[in-house]
Amino acid sequence: MSIKVGVVGAAGFAGIEAVRFILGHPEFELIAATSNELSGKRIADVYPNFQGCTDLEFSSHDDAPLSSCEVVFLAVPHTAAIAQAPALMQEGVSVVDLSADF
């Protein structure tokens, strides 16, 4: 059984490193990776080192299936995690904040 994981802000440095970690983890399944700027583009098309690892496309921050995740990594600018984390936690999602907010 895999753990469903999402990354908010997946196109930035911390976010894409989280994606790399998740894709290499034997128990994690990446089901959401957000980037408003890259929404609709395949991760592997933007970051060729992920060719053959995932066919997942970036989704917009507002259109990602984050409530279906068991864990969400927030790789967003300072103060943005404060706005996003409470709603995710209310839905039972474990949140890992990669910013300085928490």
Side-chain angles (χ1 to χ4, degrees), residues 11-66:
F13 178 76
I16 204 62
E17 284 301 305
V19 167
R20 183 183 60 78
F21 171 77
I22 293 162
L23 290 175
H25 195 283
E27 295 183 26
F28 286 168
E29 176 187 0
L30 184 65
I31 66 165
T34 75
S35 169
N36 283 339
E37 182 181 327
L38 299 174
S39 180
K41 295 183 180 178
R42 289 180 55 236
I43 294 171
D45 290 342
V46 178
Y47 296 97
N49 56 319
F50 292 119
Q51 291 289 340
C53 298
T54 183
D55 288 327
L56 188 67
E57 293 180 354
F58 288 104
S59 56
S60 70
H61 299 310
D62 296 332
D63 197 31
L66 298 176

Side-chain angles (χ1 to χ4, degrees), residues 66-69 85-94:
L66 298 176
S67 62
S68 298
C69 295
L88 289 167
M89 292 187 305
Q90 277 187 314
E91 294 186 39
V93 177
S94 295

